[in-house]
Amino acid sequence: MKDIVGIGLLILMLVSTWYFLINGVDGGLIFYSSLILTLFLVIIGFNIFLENRDPIQTITWLVIFCAFPFIGFIFYFLFGRNFRKERIFRKKYFLDKQTFVKISGEAGYNERIKEMGENPQQLITLANRLGNSPVSFTTETRVLRNGEETFSNIIEELKKARHHIHLEYYIVRDDRIGVLLKDILIQKVKEGVKVRFLYDAVGSWKLARSYIDELKNAGAEMVAFGPLHFPLLNNKFNFRNHRKIIVIDGSVGFIGGLNIGDEYLGQDQKFGSWRDTHLIIKGEAVRTLQLIFLQDWYYSTNNSFLSDEYLMAGMTNHHHGHGGVQLIGGGPDSEWTIIKSIFFKMITSAEKSVWIASPYFVPDDDILQALKVAALSGLDVRLLVPKNPDKRIVFHASRTYFPELLASGVRIFQYNEGFMHSKIIIVDDQLASIGTTNIDMRSFHLNFEVNAFLYRTESTQQLVNDYMEDMKVSQELEIDAFSKRNFGLKLLESTCRLLSPLL
């Protein structure tokens, strides 16, 4: 049934156009168009049934097709097609595997892993097997807790670049900070630095063509990930690159929640202050971040740069005592839901506490059940979310999960000072995750994401301290008060919840 839906849309358009040219617009056109639409909705529904998706997701699609046939038809084209991802991304997945074979076993860290204890050792092993990434004990990290800190450090490090600058972003804006970074990149190109810039075609769809042309004309390479030629017929449309990566000379890296835009500096009038978290990385683990970028670059351009000049620069610093740092990339090119599986392991292995910050909270049943069981077991489970939405459907859908979480003992806090965009998990004050992955189904199953997993590092303690500071400017939800929301709001939330398997 390959591309049967795309063929169906073409047939529907051709038949409708042919009938219009022959007979003009009348009731017959509407009748036959509706008949053909119904036929293909039946075929699509049967195809979804045979794919053995999650039962809730299957039922959701069938309900939408029945209630809103035409909208459901278009929505399915854009977001619902479940193509065999391992076939679509076969080239990329093969490169990832081959690269891991090349670098695995070089760090010699088995004894250090054993010293971490049983739970961290199991988590490191899981992340290693799923994410094809070794843990480093010779890497320095530092937490950057807002846009000012993040962009000032990025600018400082970009200006030091001598060999290459690699950037990979979901959203790039042609605004003040975007232009400032563009000008710095152009200057570095003039100095002989190689600049490669990968941006997501959907996330950066508003980016001015002049911005791209200026960088290209200066000599930088700027490439769109997943370009949209014919969105309705593009089987990769729904798989987006949500990563935020900078690698400078192979020895300094940045990852986290901030894209490139003035709103991340708190300059958006709608949201005001923007609370986010980023991470600067120096040393051995930058090589993994470099690999993730080079694999994405190869997938998008067919150009490979897997050479020592790009992979060995970060290996020159061997300063011990920083704890463990593991960079993991996850996405639809993998046979496993990598980052979600690691999150699940973090939650289920916790002994004292699980603290989570996520701007978009639409968990699947596995994560939801893990959080409830942890809270019911007496652990200190906390969830920090924004008070004000930037994506309303996701915002209202997330509220429908709160009653059962609160009833199980999870403490939920709404951040009051602007918009909270941090993506953090902290377990037992010892282990932490920071990166681009939200606690939602899109991040788990459809987006390319990247996270840093920190094991007993100074940055882990900084994340704990920052989380406690965020608690001071947040309002805790009480189950009794939350349950008294008006009926209209509950109805809206439940409607959005119906769409949550598709978000």
Side-chain angles (χ1 to χ4, degrees):
M1 301 184 73
K2 181 181 179 181
D3 288 339
I4 189 171
V5 183
I7 295 171
L9 179 61
L10 287 175
I11 293 174
L12 177 63
M13 294 171 60
L14 290 173
V15 170
S16 299
T17 302
W18 172 81
Y19 191 95
F20 171 76
L21 293 174
I22 299 298
N23 300 294
V25 179
D26 59 17
L29 174 62
I30 298 174
F31 172 77
Y32 285 109
S33 296
S34 300
L35 182 63
I36 295 172
L37 177 61
T38 301
L39 174 63
F40 280 101
L41 286 178
V42 171
I43 295 174
I44 293 169
F46 186 67
N47 189 39
I48 291 174
F49 177 75
L50 292 179
E51 286 174 349
N52 293 319
R53 301 187 184 196
D54 180 273
I56 296 177
Q57 190 181 77
T58 299
I59 293 172
T60 300
W61 277 116
L62 297 179
V63 169
I64 290 176
F65 289 156
C66 293
F68 311 102
F70 184 75
I71 295 176
F73 187 59
I74 299 300
F75 199 63
Y76 178 81
F77 263 87
L78 295 177
F79 305 112
R81 289 176 291 170
N82 191 23
F83 291 90
R84 293 180 61 84
K85 294 179 288 186
E86 64 270 25
R87 184 179 72 238
I88 295 174
F89 299 107
R90 181 177 294 160
K91 176 180 70 174
K92 188 176 184 305
Y93 183 67
F94 177 78
L95 178 67
D96 293 355
K97 285 287 188 182
Q98 293 300 307
T99 303
F100 178 65
V101 169
K102 178 180 178 181
I103 72 168
S104 61
E106 292 181 1
Y109 52 81
N110 289 339
E111 293 302 318
R112 291 297 305 274
I113 291 178
K114 292 179 181 178
E115 295 173 3
M116 301 295 290
E118 183 176 354
N119 282 345
Q121 185 175 347
Q122 291 179 357
L123 187 62
I124 289 170
T125 301
L126 175 68
N128 197 332
R129 289 179 177 177
L130 295 184
N132 295 339
S133 174
V135 64
S136 169
F137 294 99
T138 62
T139 297
E140 177 185 356
T141 62
R142 182 160 51 89
V143 175
L144 309 171
R145 70 183 316 272
N146 54 45
E148 288 78 8
E149 282 188 41
T150 299
F151 287 113
S152 63
N153 277 272
I154 287 174
I155 290 169
E156 179 182 352
E157 296 297 336
L158 287 177
K159 291 180 177 179
K160 297 177 184 177
R162 293 294 178 264
H163 183 266
H164 66 271
I165 298 171
H166 292 159
L167 306 97
E168 181 172 345
Y169 275 89
Y170 179 62
I171 295 174
V172 182
R173 305 256 191 240
D174 186 11
D175 52 19
R176 190 188 65 81
I177 189 63
V179 170
L180 176 59
L181 292 180
K182 178 193 66 178
D183 292 343
I184 293 173
L185 295 177
I186 291 174
Q187 178 59 37
K188 299 312 293 186
V189 171
K190 293 178 180 178
E191 296 173 11
V193 176
K194 189 65 178 178
V195 174
R196 299 182 179 94
F197 201 147
L198 190 64
Y199 65 96
D200 187 81
V202 172
S204 301
W205 69 276
K206 293 183 179 180
L207 183 62
R209 185 69 206 181
S210 59
Y211 186 99
I212 300 170
D213 289 341
E214 283 187 58
L215 279 165
K216 286 185 173 182
N217 292 337
E221 295 182 67
M222 195 163 186
V223 176
F225 183 97
L228 305 180
H229 301 301
F230 300 100
L232 291 181
L233 303 179
N234 187 344
N235 59 2
K236 302 175 187 176
F237 175 84
N238 205 24
F239 303 123
R240 305 319 315 169
N241 192 328
H242 194 239
R243 292 167 177 164
K244 295 94 177 169
I245 294 174
I246 296 180
V247 177
I248 301 167
D249 292 341
S251 59
V252 179
F254 293 87
I255 69 165
L258 290 101
N259 290 288
I260 297 175
D262 287 346
E263 68 261 42
Y264 303 98
L265 285 160
Q267 297 178 9
D268 188 293
Q269 294 182 354
K270 178 180 179 181
F271 299 109
S273 175
W274 188 280
R275 173 70 179 96
D276 217 325
T277 309
H278 227 69
L279 192 72
I280 182 172
I281 307 164
K282 296 183 178 181
E284 183 183 44
V286 177
R287 180 174 62 170
T288 303
L289 203 61
Q290 180 84 291
L291 281 168
I292 293 171
F293 173 85
L294 292 177
Q295 290 156 6
D296 290 347
W297 187 263
Y298 171 68
Y299 171 75
S300 299
T301 67
N302 280 322
N303 294 322
S304 177
F305 300 95
L306 294 177
S307 60
D308 286 350
E309 65 177 325
Y310 290 105
L311 296 179
M312 300 304 292
M315 302 297 289
T316 57
N317 298 321
H318 294 284
H319 304 296
H320 294 272
H322 294 299
V325 180
Q326 199 167 16
L327 277 294
I328 302 292
D333 55 334
S334 172
E335 58 186 316
W336 304 100
T337 53
I338 296 175
I339 296 179
K340 175 211 159 176
S341 297
I342 300 173
F343 283 179
F344 180 82
K345 178 63 176 176
M346 291 177 72
I347 296 168
T348 56
S349 64
E351 297 178 349
K352 298 178 182 179
S353 61
V354 179
W355 293 357
I356 296 176
S358 182
Y360 315 116
F361 183 79
V362 185
D364 62 7
D365 289 341
D366 295 337
I367 297 297
L368 183 65
Q369 189 69 10
L371 290 172
K372 292 193 294 184
V373 169
L376 289 167
S377 301
L379 276 64
D380 176 15
V381 182
R382 305 186 188 189
L383 173 63
L384 178 64
V385 295
K387 181 179 181 180
N388 300 311
D390 71 329
K391 295 178 174 60
R392 291 191 175 276
I393 294 179
V394 179
F395 176 84
H396 290 300
S398 70
R399 266 52 189 169
T400 64
Y401 297 90
F402 290 178
E404 55 188 311
L405 289 171
L406 291 168
S408 67
V410 176
R411 300 178 66 188
I412 301 176
F413 298 83
Q414 294 186 128
Y415 188 80
N416 287 329
E417 292 195 350
F419 185 72
M420 197 287 301
H421 194 250
S422 296
K423 308 159 199 302
I424 303 294
I425 298 182
I426 308 168
V427 171
D428 297 338
D429 296 345
Q430 300 289 319
L431 312 176
S433 168
I434 171 176
T436 67
T437 308
N438 298 300
I439 308 295
D440 67 8
M441 299 181 195
R442 170 160 289 279
S443 279
F444 290 158
H445 301 287
L446 298 174
N447 287 345
F448 291 92
E449 308 281 5
V450 60
N451 275 52
F453 293 89
L454 310 176
Y455 308 93
R456 298 178 183 174
T457 67
E458 293 180 4
S459 292
T460 306
Q461 187 56 50
Q462 185 60 54
L463 290 173
V464 172
N465 296 339
D466 290 346
Y467 199 97
M468 294 176 67
E469 289 299 313
D470 290 336
M471 294 292 96
K472 296 178 182 178
V473 293
S474 301
Q475 179 182 1
E476 184 170 3
L477 293 179
E478 301 293 340
I479 188 168
D480 292 338
F482 189 75
S483 63
K484 295 178 181 178
R485 303 181 321 287
N486 66 65
F487 176 77
L489 184 57
K490 290 181 180 179
L491 181 63
L492 173 62
E493 292 171 349
S494 295
T495 303
C496 294
R497 170 71 175 262
L498 181 65
L499 298 173
S500 63
L502 316 180
L503 298 175

